[in-house]
Amino acid sequence: MAESISKSVAGAIGEAEAARTRLDFAKSAPRVFRAIVGFDAAAREGLDPSLVELIQIRASHLNHCAYCLHMHTSDARKAGESEDRLHMVAVWREARHFFTEKEQAALALTEAVTLVADGGVPDEVYAEAAAHFDEGELAHVLALILTINTWNRVALATGKVAGTDERR
């Protein structure tokens, strides 16, 4: 049963990818693509890999980016993240005991920056993040939030298909 579902999903992914008619951003704007890759790599420097994935997962939830959500939950699993925590990211406020205070501060900041048009970044959200991260770390967290929001928009605008991680 599970094998037939897996084959069915793989077939559906292949069909969705074949039906995609939007541009290949990396090929169409290679310098821009490489610049975003470089920005992303620089943003991650010095941050806990688990925190990086939590931030990317939460922003991808908020932006409804299935491609990035699939990619980052897969990366998190490979890095040893628990299924329980992955399932709770979307509802972290109701499941705070799954996350450290530092992670909660980062998730709150991720939400505020991702949804910036809904009311900016509240002082209390910023202050809580600043209480858990030194200035360098906070700058990297902000940069990471900016990069995942950029990646989400690239994936959504170009019709990326969940399950077709092109990094491999």
Side-chain angles (χ1 to χ4, degrees):
M1 173 83 171
E3 187 176 324
S4 67
I5 291 172
S6 181
K7 286 181 182 178
S8 176
V9 169
I13 289 170
E15 289 175 24
E17 181 65 15
R20 188 172 62 101
T21 58
R22 295 186 180 183
L23 68 83
D24 181 328
F25 189 80
K27 287 182 182 174
S28 299
R31 287 183 60 211
V32 174
F33 184 81
R34 285 192 306 273
I36 300 169
V37 169
F39 183 28
D40 185 277
R44 294 165 183 260
E45 288 178 7
L47 295 179
D48 179 319
S50 180
L51 180 68
V52 168
E53 296 306 333
L54 292 176
I55 289 168
Q56 293 178 126
I57 290 165
R58 187 62 187 130
S60 297
H61 283 143
L62 296 169
N63 288 320
H64 304 276
C65 185
Y67 177 83
C68 294
L69 185 59
H70 183 268
M71 178 187 300
H72 294 296
T73 55
S74 295
D75 288 351
R77 281 184 191 94
K78 288 175 188 167
E81 189 60 72
S82 75
E83 289 297 319
D84 282 341
R85 281 173 38 102
L86 290 176
H87 291 296
M88 294 298 119
V89 174
V91 293
W92 68 270
R93 291 179 194 280
E94 291 78 29
R96 290 178 183 268
H97 57 286
F98 282 90
F99 305 98
T100 67
E101 289 183 9
K102 187 173 189 174
E103 290 168 338
Q104 292 174 45
L107 291 168
L109 187 62
T110 300
E111 290 176 354
V113 173
T114 300
L115 303 172
V116 70
D118 292 348
V121 177
D123 290 339
E124 58 275 4
V125 171
Y126 184 87
E128 186 66 22
H132 290 281
F133 296 95
D134 67 32
E135 284 189 4
E137 290 174 318
L138 185 56
H140 281 260
V141 167
L142 284 168
L144 182 67
I145 296 166
L146 299 176
T147 60
I148 188 55
N149 275 279
T150 300
W151 285 126
N152 288 164
R153 283 151 177 77
V154 168
L156 290 164
T158 61
K160 301 302 257 177
V161 175
T164 61
D165 185 348
E166 296 163 351
R167 299 173 303 168
R168 292 162 181 45

